[in-house]
Amino acid sequence: MTPDQVKLVQDSFAKVAPISGKAALIFYDRLFEVAPGVRAMFPDDMTEQRRKLMTTLAVVVNGLSDLPSMLSAASALAKRHVGYGAKAEHYPVVGGALLWTLEKGLGEAWTADVAAAWTAAYGTLSGYMISEAYGRTQVAE
């Protein structure tokens, strides 16, 4: 990721943060719509899960400025997700739901450059997490 892409991701996330509860709801609704089979991996009451999602996204987005220091946390997160039943093939689906949510949340602020920056950020992080969790390099788009 370029420094400009990091800034675009961070600036656009700052616009989503005030509606984080709604954004998390939109994200999970979309995820379960496009991948209904993953619903069983989550609790019936999604309140805490939605909060965790937005907290984790905030940590990741803020950590993009110092990617090496964030990668150990990403490694641990990836390994925990294996225990929840996550598979490498889930990462592209999650990425699609995330980008779709951001597009809806940002409206006109979702530009081609912002989309490219988020795609690069998610691809970098998910590729690393897949490698850490499953021992192989794969890019999730």
Side-chain angles (χ1 to χ4, degrees):
M1 291 188 68
T2 68
D4 287 343
Q5 287 177 316
V6 169
K7 183 165 176 30
L8 281 172
V9 168
Q10 291 173 337
D11 289 351
S12 60
F13 187 74
K15 295 174 184 171
V16 174
I19 60 160
S20 64
K22 182 177 180 181
L25 187 62
I26 292 168
F27 168 79
Y28 282 111
D29 284 350
R30 178 66 174 177
L31 179 62
F32 299 151
E33 176 186 327
V34 298
V38 303
R39 180 62 182 98
M41 295 166 51
F42 294 91
D44 290 337
D45 181 352
M46 291 290 293
T47 305
E48 182 65 13
Q49 183 64 36
R50 289 189 296 264
R51 186 196 63 74
K52 285 180 184 179
L53 169 71
M54 297 311 292
T55 299
T56 301
L57 274 175
V59 169
V60 168
V61 166
N62 291 328
L64 290 175
S65 297
D66 185 13
L67 195 58
S69 69
M70 187 197 42
L71 292 181
S72 66
S75 175
L77 181 64
K79 292 170 185 171
R80 279 196 311 273
H81 276 78
V82 172
Y84 304 144
K87 297 183 171 138
E89 58 265 25
H90 292 138
Y91 282 78
V93 177
V94 168
L98 176 63
L99 296 176
W100 188 87
T101 299
L102 291 164
E103 181 179 2
K104 298 301 172 208
L106 290 169
E108 291 182 9
W110 182 256
T111 65
D113 288 342
V114 171
W118 273 98
T119 299
Y122 187 79
T124 298
L125 187 63
S126 63
Y128 179 77
M129 290 176 69
I130 290 167
S131 176
E132 289 294 293
Y134 309 103
R136 64 182 188 268
T137 302
Q138 179 176 333
V139 175
E141 294 181 21

